[in-house]
Amino acid sequence: GQQLNQSPQSMFIQEGEDVSMNCTSSSIFNTWLWYKQDPGEGPVLLIALYKAGELTSNGRLTAQFGITRKDSFLNISASIPSDVGIYFCAGRGPPQGGNEKLTFGTGTRLTIIP
Amino acid sequence: GAVVSQHPSWVICKSGTSVKIECRSLDFQATTMFWYRQFPKQSLMLMATSNEGSKATYEQGVEKDKFLINHASLTLSTLTVTSAHPEDSSFYICSARDTSGSSSYNEQFFGPGTRLTVL
């Protein structure tokens, strides 16, 4: 199935640093979502974006819905140890037969170096 | 709110046996649930969309006779892996969308996943 291109694939940062990751698609999406997955767990929703150009924050997390509707980015400010995990973007397309289906990005693995 | 549970959390079975995984929405009703499969260090791949009271919709390349889905109620969907083989070993995750408006986001909430190992 289709996947979204997410970069970087992995990040190694020190505690306190800011983090930025992005997701791009060849298709237009109506909704962009960002999830975090811890090892052995299911993804947890962090932020949802519904309008092109929308900028939304959730605590130290900020995400934007690209104006072209083909991309989105997620920023994490002042990283802390519990930010470690895998971050996935997900897009939901214009209404078609599979309106509710999500397409997931390839993931960004965040590691904090002590 | 919007909690999704899965049972079992892990299962080990012999090749050729069938395994049933349950997905429940604990505090909301879900007319649609989704089943994903995730191999190590890979992303989530949608297998099928489970619709309450009707047949599931399978993604291209997913064998409907091998992965049986039953969405018998508004809070329960089951995935049965029939005649499991080692290549079916994976992390199976379900999700459900809370459309009642009681959650902050009207989006898919995921279960904790089921780790299937086929010997």
Side-chain angles (χ1 to χ4, degrees), chain A residues 1 3 31 33 35 37 40-43 45-48 50 56 88 92 100-102 104-106 109, chain B residues 32 34 36 38 41-46 49 59 91 93 97 105-113 115:
Chain A
Q3 282 191 333
T31 299
L33 307 170
Y35 288 88
Q37 185 179 31
E41 300 287 337
L45 181 63
L46 300 174
I47 290 181
Y50 299 104
T56 297
F88 290 101
R92 185 167 63 241
E100 289 194 60
K101 293 197 297 185
L102 296 181
F104 276 82
T106 47
R109 182 181 297 271
Chain B
T32 305
F34 305 86
Y36 295 82
Q38 185 179 33
K41 296 188 178 182
Q42 293 189 21
S43 186
L44 285 76
M45 297 300 294
L46 180 65
T49 302
E59 294 301 298
F91 193 51
I93 312 173
R97 192 173 178 191
Y105 291 120
N106 182 21
E107 294 299 339
Q108 289 185 31
F109 290 88
F110 285 81
R115 172 81 54 198

Side-chain angles (χ1 to χ4, degrees), chain B residues 50-98:
Chain B
S50 171
N51 303 296
E52 189 267 337
S54 65
K55 292 182 178 180
T57 304
Y58 290 82
E59 294 301 298
Q60 190 173 7
V62 178
E63 300 175 55
K64 62 180 181 180
D65 294 329
K66 180 171 182 61
F67 298 99
L68 301 178
I69 291 173
N70 186 348
H71 196 150
S73 76
L74 288 173
T75 59
L76 173 64
S77 175
T78 60
L79 169 68
T80 300
V81 183
T82 62
S83 187
H85 291 284
E87 57 266 29
D88 298 323
S89 298
S90 187
F91 193 51
Y92 291 86
I93 312 173
C94 71
S95 73
R97 192 173 178 191
D98 181 5

Side-chain angles (χ1 to χ4, degrees), chain A residues 25-102:
Chain A
S25 169
S26 57
S27 305
I28 289 174
F29 287 105
N30 283 352
T31 299
W32 281 96
L33 307 170
W34 285 93
Y35 288 88
K36 177 176 182 280
Q37 185 179 31
D38 292 328
E41 300 287 337
V44 174
L45 181 63
L46 300 174
I47 290 181
L49 302 157
Y50 299 104
K51 292 171 62 175
E54 179 182 356
L55 184 70
T56 297
S57 294
N58 179 9
R60 293 178 296 106
L61 279 60
T62 302
Q64 184 158 29
F65 191 142
I67 197 70
T68 65
R69 296 165 64 193
K70 293 183 177 181
D71 63 329
S72 177
F73 72 75
L74 174 71
N75 287 341
I76 306 173
S77 63
S79 59
I80 60 177
S82 61
D83 292 334
V84 168
I86 303 176
Y87 292 80
F88 290 101
C89 63
R92 185 167 63 241
Q96 291 179 7
N99 179 31
E100 289 194 60
K101 293 197 297 185
L102 296 181

